[in-house]
Amino acid sequence: MNFRNPAVRLGLLPAGIALALTPAFASAQEAASGTTDLDRISVTGSRIRGANMETQQPILTMTRETLEKQGFSSVADVLNNLTSAGSPAISRSESLASGENVGGYYVDIRNLGAERTLVLMNGKRLGATTSGLQDLSQIPMSAVERIEILKDGASSIYGSDAIAGVVNVITRKNFDGGEANVYVGQYGNGDGDSEQYSMTLGARGERGSLTLSAEYSKQDPVWAKDRWYSRDGSLGPNSTSANWSPISQNGSWCNPTLYDCEDSPVWQTLNPGGDPTNPNDYHTMTRDEYSNSNEQMTLLTGVKRKSVYINGTYDFTDSISLNTDLLYNERQTFQQIAGYPYQSGSFGTPLSADSAFNPVGQDADFRRRLWEVPRTTESQLKTLRFAPTISGYFDVAGKTFDWDVGALWNRNESIKTNRGDMSLIAAQQALGPSFINANGVAQCGTAADPIALGDCRPWNPLLPYGVDGQGSLADKDLQDFLFPTYTTRGVTKTTSFTANLAGSIVTLPAGDLGFAMGVEHRKEEGSYVPDAFAQSGQSTGLGQKPTRGEYDLNEVYLELNVPLLADVPFAKELTFNAATRYSDYSNFGGTTNSKFGLTWRPVEGLLVRATRAEGFRAPTINDLYGGLSSSFESYIDPCGVTAPGSVAGNAACVAAGAPANYVQLGQGNVPCSTLPCQSGDQFISGANPNLKPETSKSTTAGIVWSPQWVQGLDLSLDWYKYQISDMIIADSVDRILRDCYVLGNASRCESVVRASDGHISAITYGTANLGKMETEGYDLGVKYRLPELAIGQFSIDWQTSYTAKYDEAGQNSAGDAITIGRVGEAGLFRVRSNLGVNWQYGDFGVNYTARYYSGMKENCISLADGWCDAPNHYSNGESDPLRHTGSNTFHDLQVSYKAPWDATIALGANNVFDHKGPLMYSAPNSAFAYYGGFDVGRFLYMKYTQRF
């Protein structure tokens, strides 16, 4: 930037200075309206200032004008619609997701993982969770000036996490005047109402400026029962749905006087209008009485956000400036899933023989979905960010040197409130002995030793949903007794101090030899503390343990830009760029990462560029110090007779308690009809304090061509290749079971626990540097601004990403190391392409965008369901039946008008033709049979912008 010009100087503006400047703002407007010195600009991916630095690397810039022409109201939505963006990490459709990261919105470049894409705000790191995910909902859309996306590794410039690329959100500064924005929208189904209101005010003076932006945003949830693909949970034309559970909201029990309820239970439910105390008023449950959990689930989570952003600048002298960014953001999200599928056998809480509600006077096992109290999660994140910088320049021997010293304090505080998981302590009391007292009211305890109603409420789990009666779960007092509210709190802090110096060392025949160097000290602190009840494991919810930890690091970097040739035949420019960074971490030690780049302009209008970079991702606080957590995992038990490559009956399986005829059991201890199959028991996973960093190598090569004979046409084609080693991944259940039972590694069997019937009732595993992957592909960009015609101005922007390879290291059923090619899976599209056409005629404008996704593949659920089009497909020598779907294109349209009163009115629709993606039975990035990155219907919106 031109630091000699007050209009573009960065500075810090304390409140007292702001008041002093206020009278001068209006009169100084002309003095502050200078232009940028293009010889001194700074771009994402390099610390060296120069007009030609932007083209040396594959950088995509989205201006505010571009953002306003889209129908998306958040930074995350804009970025996730880039062709180079991967599957959304924890999409709004993943209602079953849990943990600290749920509720946030992230970006994942190249499908390398959101934790491997570094997000910056004005060149400084965005605050992260203990898992290293950076929530883009912290950034208000109204405060964004432009977004720069570097699609290349940049650890040598920015340090950890910049493996896949860097997203740098540049906020508005030196704003003069006012702007108010209103955005309202709704799906064509009449739901998912969205509204956003923002105000930006700014003023500039001779030596400083103040910009304030405030924003309120709200998006209502969308319910699964209101969409065609999620209302009934269908998993295929001939399949029963995994979401239609035999654990019904009406409750069912096994009568121990009639059946062998331990080995061959028969589940009965109450006849309509029947007497729950009469054992003869029950019938065997039918398929039509199963419960559909989707009826109670959110398809898209609800979101509310309030934010205030303030930027202030002040020039102390012509060569020393101060800048500060202050951000406060509060984000709330809401998600709901169906009431818990309670199974008394899983918790050892049968309906007591001495319960007033027991029809037979013997302990009786039961199953009932707790339909009256669905499980809800409200996630709140509060962000406070303060980033002051003092910067300037000085001249030595005719050379200009730019310097800056800055700091960053970022604090994220999260609060999660959960309700709907039952207290097992209260359940045991409610299901225990009870009697009908003299007032005809059911009471815990016995007549000789009663328990006061205020201390215990009896529960009758055999009462169907919607039927009133004593012990009914619809009773609010009983709900308050059985269902506590769980509160989980988390805090992460990032503290950073930086110092940078950039300039030119000497002037070579081809130009100035530029350099940049700097140091950084950073500290990361984090904690995530689940509710004490959740930690105790005395609830139906997934057990969690606290995460607490911190680490700090010191870094130093050096970057050189060496001009080799200039203005000679076949070399208008030939420049070599090199950068290296040394990072010293308190937890694992030091690492050095370097990057090399070459830029060649053989002729005017044609540029060839290439880079080779090393990268790394340091293990996060959660990776190192995360507490134990539990989940219901989907896996294949090799001891089951139906497993591919089954080893049922071998010595290891039999010794572990799995008989030779064992069939893998899933939810409800029912034999699995398809594999992998989800466990009915909670498995435990945890952290590993001995992890080392992930490492990567990335290579890019490309051309940028602006043919002189076609004015306004710009073409670019870039090839990329990434290789990541020592990836930090969870040591999977499948890997452990193969090592234990197939390969005979007894040490891997230690954490596997089997119940008396042979099914795996518990397993514990952690994270490890076990992963390895490689991806390769191309990015094509075409931009063409046509000559202005009598019918208006047309411009075209066509961006396409082609993924040639996406391979991960894995194991086959025999435990052998294999390479798994994943191109074509949902989210890993072979081709993603966005074509944008803009027409402007005077004050009227039309913007059209087509978003194209190539076809997808997934593993077949069943060879007999009629939808498996590649049943004979083999991969790595093993049968791998596949199902393929066709391509999908979503069309967006916006019509705008610039009104004479300095306002812009826009009407638009995303997915204007209401295109529906295909059913995806693997439920990728979603809790439902649909890809979580696709539109869920036609979305209509109106935007109004008033400037003053």
Side-chain angles (χ1 to χ4, degrees):
M1 303 294 290
N2 181 4
F3 287 87
R4 302 177 191 276
N5 190 326
V8 295
R9 232 174 256 138
L10 301 178
L12 173 66
L13 187 59
I17 299 176
L19 292 175
L21 286 174
T22 301
F25 282 161
S27 62
Q29 181 175 347
E30 294 81 9
S33 60
T35 59
T36 302
D37 181 351
L38 293 180
D39 291 334
R40 303 281 296 285
I41 66 172
S42 178
V43 300
T44 302
S46 176
R47 302 282 190 175
I48 298 174
R49 300 176 182 273
N52 62 345
M53 298 302 295
E54 184 173 3
T55 56
Q56 290 190 5
Q57 303 178 83
I59 296 177
L60 175 66
T61 300
M62 305 180 70
T63 64
R64 182 160 190 85
E65 181 182 9
T66 302
L67 300 177
E68 290 174 346
K69 291 177 181 177
Q70 300 187 30
F72 305 111
S73 59
S74 72
V75 174
D77 287 340
V78 168
L79 291 173
N80 279 315
N81 276 283
L82 295 174
T83 61
S84 56
S87 301
I90 312 181
S91 76
R92 289 182 65 196
S93 291
E94 293 182 273
S95 55
L96 289 173
S98 62
E100 177 188 11
N101 301 314
V102 173
Y105 300 96
Y106 315 100
V107 63
D108 174 5
I109 301 297
R110 307 286 190 213
N111 268 302
L112 298 183
E115 67 275 20
R116 299 179 186 90
T117 297
L118 179 63
V119 180
L120 308 174
M121 182 174 174
N122 297 324
K124 297 183 179 181
R125 286 173 176 264
L126 203 61
T129 68
T130 61
S131 300
L133 297 187
Q134 298 172 286
D135 183 5
L136 288 161
S137 70
Q138 301 173 64
I139 306 175
M141 192 74 161
S142 60
V144 177
E145 178 63 31
R146 69 182 186 277
I147 304 174
E148 297 177 350
I149 302 99
L150 171 65
K151 296 178 286 186
D152 189 13
S155 287
S156 61
I157 302 298
Y158 299 110
S160 177
D161 310 331
I163 285 181
V166 178
V167 173
N168 191 9
V169 181
I170 312 297
T171 56
R172 303 169 91 170
K173 298 178 176 66
N174 299 297
F175 186 82
D176 193 30
E179 180 180 284
N181 292 276
V182 176
Y183 174 102
V184 293
Q186 184 184 77
Y187 283 103
N189 302 67
D191 55 12
D193 290 13
S194 180
E195 54 188 282
Q196 184 168 293
Y197 309 97
S198 65
M199 174 72 75
T200 301
L201 300 172
R204 295 186 301 208
E206 288 187 6
R207 307 197 68 86
S209 69
L210 182 66
T211 302
L212 181 148
S213 186
E215 184 173 286
Y216 170 80
S217 177
K218 178 185 177 183
Q219 293 173 288
D220 288 346
V222 174
W223 296 91
K225 60 185 175 63
D226 296 326
R227 290 298 184 273
W228 64 276
Y229 62 86
S230 56
R231 58 176 171 248
D232 61 6
S234 174
L235 290 182
N238 300 318
S239 303
T240 58
S241 167
N243 291 306
W244 282 87
S245 170
I247 305 174
S248 170
Q249 69 265 38
N250 290 332
S252 58
W253 71 305
C254 181
N255 187 339
T257 66
L258 298 177
Y259 307 108
D260 179 357
C261 293
E262 182 174 349
D263 296 326
S264 304
V266 175
W267 300 101
Q268 295 184 312
T269 189
L270 188 66
N271 296 332
D275 178 3
T277 64
N278 184 351
N280 297 320
D281 274 4
Y282 291 84
H283 65 273
T284 302
M285 179 180 287
T286 66
R287 175 68 178 79
D288 293 337
E289 293 174 306
Y290 286 9
S291 62
N292 176 11
S293 61
N294 287 11
E295 292 179 5
Q296 287 194 328
M297 294 178 67
T298 48
L299 174 71
L300 298 181
T301 57
V303 187
K304 290 182 182 178
R305 186 169 49 78
K306 296 178 286 187
S307 59
V308 177
Y309 168 76
I310 300 174
N311 172 262
T313 69
Y314 187 72
D315 300 331
F316 286 116
T317 70
D318 287 344
S319 60
I320 300 178
S321 302
L322 290 155
N323 175 86
T324 188
D325 289 327
L326 180 64
L327 172 68
Y328 175 79
N329 183 75
E330 186 174 317
R331 182 259 295 158
Q332 294 175 294
T333 58
F334 170 83
Q335 65 187 112
Q336 178 176 300
I337 59 177
Y340 187 84
Y342 194 97
Q343 303 176 72
S344 64
S346 297
F347 302 111
T349 55
L351 182 61
S352 171
D354 298 320
S355 169
F357 307 126
N358 193 309
V360 294
Q362 295 185 36
D363 285 358
D365 277 326
F366 67 91
R367 305 196 298 189
R368 190 189 195 282
R369 189 174 281 279
L370 309 179
W371 202 255
E372 291 85 347
V373 188
R375 288 166 285 175
T376 60
T377 300
E378 294 185 7
S379 303
Q380 183 181 78
L381 178 73
K382 294 181 180 179
T383 298
L384 183 61
R385 177 185 179 90
F386 179 54
T389 301
I390 179 171
S391 58
Y393 71 91
F394 58 88
D395 295 327
V396 175
K399 302 291 184 183
T400 299
F401 297 87
D402 297 295
W403 60 272
D404 66 77
V405 177
L408 168 66
W409 291 274
N410 194 103
R411 186 180 191 273
N412 286 353
E413 178 183 358
S414 66
I415 301 175
K416 289 186 180 293
T417 305
N418 302 81
R419 191 162 191 264
D421 278 304
M422 184 178 285
S423 162
L424 296 179
I425 297 174
Q428 189 170 28
Q429 294 174 321
L431 296 166
S434 60
F435 67 102
I436 304 298
N437 64 23
N439 297 320
V441 177
Q443 187 172 348
C444 294
T446 64
D449 187 18
I451 301 174
L453 286 175
D455 297 329
C456 178
R457 294 278 177 176
W459 173 33
N460 184 357
L462 306 185
L463 280 178
Y465 170 73
V467 174
D468 292 330
Q470 295 203 50
S472 167
L473 202 56
D475 181 72
K476 187 176 184 307
D477 291 333
L478 179 58
Q479 289 183 12
D480 291 342
F481 176 64
L482 291 175
F483 298 94
T485 297
Y486 306 91
T487 302
T488 299
R489 298 181 182 274
V491 175
T492 59
K493 299 178 184 178
T494 298
T495 305
S496 175
F497 301 97
T498 59
N500 301 285
L501 177 66
S504 60
I505 303 174
V506 296
T507 299
L508 301 176
D512 288 340
L513 191 159
F515 82 96
M517 60 187 301
V519 296
E520 178 177 359
H521 171 78
R522 179 161 55 92
K523 183 176 183 179
E524 299 285 354
E525 305 168 78
S527 66
Y528 184 70
V529 184
D531 189 283
F533 217 126
Q535 294 186 45
S536 71
Q538 292 297 318
S539 79
T540 57
L542 299 175
Q544 297 180 12
K545 295 296 182 182
T547 293
R548 288 192 182 92
E550 63 180 56
Y551 62 85
D552 60 74
L553 59 142
N554 295 298
E555 297 181 293
V556 58
Y557 77 90
L558 173 65
E559 181 184 7
L560 296 175
N561 199 62
V562 185
L564 303 177
L565 296 173
D567 297 322
V568 299
F570 303 108
K572 296 289 292 182
E573 176 194 351
L574 182 62
T575 303
F576 174 73
N577 182 273
T580 189
R581 188 181 192 95
Y582 174 74
S583 307
D584 184 17
Y585 279 74
S586 60
N587 50 338
F588 65 79
T591 177
T592 301
N593 295 272
S594 302
K595 182 174 183 176
F596 305 96
L598 191 67
T599 305
W600 174 42
R601 301 178 192 265
V603 294
E604 193 68 41
L606 179 63
L607 177 142
V608 180
R609 60 193 179 196
T611 65
R612 174 71 170 174
E614 298 173 324
F616 77 104
R617 183 178 80 87
T620 65
I621 291 172
N622 187 64
D623 291 332
L624 297 165
Y625 315 115
L628 298 177
S629 61
S630 59
S631 60
F632 296 96
E633 293 294 318
S634 293
Y635 68 98
I636 297 175
D637 187 346
C639 292
V641 294
T642 60
S646 170
V647 292
N650 76 3
C653 292
V654 173
N661 62 346
Y662 169 69
V663 176
Q664 183 177 343
L665 303 181
Q667 293 280 337
N669 288 341
V670 175
C672 298
S673 58
T674 61
L675 296 174
C677 182
Q678 189 176 41
S679 164
D681 299 274
Q682 299 180 27
F683 293 171
I684 306 298
S685 59
N688 180 355
N690 299 315
L691 292 171
K692 57 185 179 179
E694 300 178 345
T695 60
S696 71
K697 293 187 183 335
S698 63
T699 308
T700 69
I703 59 173
V704 180
W705 184 33
S706 301
Q708 294 178 317
W709 59 87
V710 184
Q711 190 68 29
L713 176 62
D714 296 301
L715 306 172
S716 65
L717 177 64
D718 288 283
W719 166 81
Y720 65 86
K721 183 177 182 180
Y722 292 85
Q723 297 169 300
I724 305 179
S725 302
D726 297 322
M727 292 176 67
I728 300 171
I729 61 174
D731 187 4
S732 72
V733 174
D734 285 319
R735 185 190 295 265
I736 293 173
L737 297 181
R738 281 195 294 266
D739 290 349
C740 169
Y741 299 113
V742 178
L743 302 182
N745 185 345
S747 65
R748 296 283 277 168
C749 305
E750 296 174 354
S751 67
V752 182
V753 178
R754 291 185 181 269
S756 58
D757 59 7
H759 87 271
I760 298 174
S761 58
I763 188 171
T764 303
Y765 55 101
T767 54
N769 292 101
L770 291 171
K772 184 178 181 181
M773 66 85 60
E774 181 176 325
T775 186
E776 183 178 352
Y778 301 86
D779 288 331
L780 171 66
V782 179
K783 291 187 177 183
Y784 184 32
R785 183 179 177 86
L786 281 70
E788 189 165 359
L789 306 173
I791 58 173
Q793 177 75 61
F794 288 88
S795 59
I796 298 171
D797 188 350
W798 180 32
Q799 303 292 325
T800 300
S801 293
Y802 177 86
T803 304
K805 176 194 295 185
Y806 192 100
D807 293 345
E808 289 185 344
Q811 290 181 318
N812 61 15
S813 60
D816 300 325
I818 60 172
T819 297
I820 303 172
R822 296 186 55 200
V823 175
E825 295 180 12
L828 294 165
F829 300 98
R830 177 74 69 182
V831 178
R832 277 193 67 176
S833 184
N834 291 346
L835 173 63
V837 180
N838 182 257
W839 171 71
Q840 197 74 36
Y841 184 76
D843 293 328
F844 293 91
V846 177
N847 193 76
Y848 162 79
T849 303
R851 294 176 280 128
Y852 171 84
Y853 302 79
S854 59
M856 298 175 283
K857 67 179 181 181
E858 64 181 357
N859 290 112
C860 294
I861 291 180
S862 168
L863 296 180
D865 67 7
W867 287 50
C868 191
D869 64 314
N872 298 319
H873 178 263
Y874 274 73
S875 177
N876 290 294
E878 294 185 326
S879 177
D880 184 30
L882 293 179
R883 170 180 177 263
H884 296 87
T885 69
S887 61
N888 293 270
T889 303
F890 299 89
H891 303 267
D892 306 332
L893 184 67
Q894 183 186 106
V895 180
S896 62
Y897 169 65
K898 294 181 180 178
W901 55 88
D902 204 9
T904 300
I905 305 166
L907 298 175
N910 295 337
N911 190 16
V912 66
F913 300 120
D914 197 21
H915 176 74
K916 297 175 175 62
L919 288 173
M920 297 297 293
Y921 305 133
S922 55
N925 298 97
S926 175
F928 311 96
Y930 194 78
Y931 172 51
F934 279 172
D935 299 42
V936 300
R938 179 192 297 116
F939 187 81
L940 308 169
Y941 65 89
M942 184 277 289
K943 294 198 293 185
Y944 181 87
T945 301
Q946 179 66 61
R947 288 167 287 272
F948 51 91

